[in-house]
Amino acid sequence: MEEIIMEPAAIRKIGQVSVPVHSLETAIPFYRDTLGLPLLFQTGNLAFFECGGTRVLLNIPEDERFAKSSSVLYFDVADIRGAYEALLAKGVTFIDEPHVVGKMGDSESWMVFFEDPDRNIHALVSEKDA
């Protein structure tokens, strides 16, 4: 068996994603209580959450260049319809309803997009048997 040697500077995974927010007092309850992400710690204008091995950092940007840029976080769920209904009941603002975005062999990829309190757009995703 041939051993694979990684380059020292090779990217291994995404370790953290930053999401700009205006108020941690509003954002923390949404990500912790509504989405159910464990809050790891908070310090100053930063709050760190755990999401399946990737940290989600909420921050109040000090530099205006970072205040308007947010990545779309795609949260993987087993039951997209059930997750959609549960978050809808908690007052989450959805942009659309769960829908098929692609078929790959015997499976379908489903998504539904929603907004956080700062109007950052995120999504729920799920793979289902076709």
Side-chain angles (χ1 to χ4, degrees):
M1 182 185 296
E2 185 177 324
E3 182 179 345
I4 298 174
I5 300 173
M6 297 277 296
E7 292 292 322
I11 296 173
R12 299 180 306 162
K13 66 177 186 172
I14 294 175
Q16 182 168 289
V17 177
S18 177
V19 177
V21 299
H22 295 99
S23 164
L24 289 178
E25 290 75 27
T26 303
I28 288 174
F30 179 81
Y31 284 81
R32 182 193 58 215
D33 304 334
T34 305
L35 297 184
L37 299 179
L39 176 64
L40 297 172
F41 62 95
Q42 177 183 355
T43 180
N45 289 334
L46 308 172
F48 295 84
F49 293 82
E50 166 61 28
C51 184
T54 300
R55 281 189 184 174
V56 175
L57 161 64
L58 304 182
N59 68 317
I60 299 173
E62 295 177 10
D63 184 324
E64 191 61 32
R65 292 177 293 176
F66 295 101
K68 296 181 178 91
S69 61
S70 176
S71 296
V72 176
L73 303 181
Y74 292 83
F75 295 103
D76 183 49
V77 296
D79 175 8
I80 197 163
R81 179 63 62 182
Y84 167 79
E85 295 293 338
L87 291 177
L88 198 59
K90 290 182 176 183
V92 173
T93 302
F94 281 90
I95 296 169
D96 54 6
E97 293 190 9
H99 59 281
V100 175
V101 295
K103 295 185 180 192
M104 300 152 292
D106 293 338
S107 68
E108 297 176 332
S109 180
W110 285 68
M111 288 186 194
V112 61
F113 292 88
F114 64 93
E115 293 182 342
D116 74 2
D118 289 280
R119 304 198 68 187
N120 293 306
I121 296 174
H122 301 310
L124 301 177
V125 297
S126 186
E127 297 293 321
K128 295 175 142 187
D129 290 336

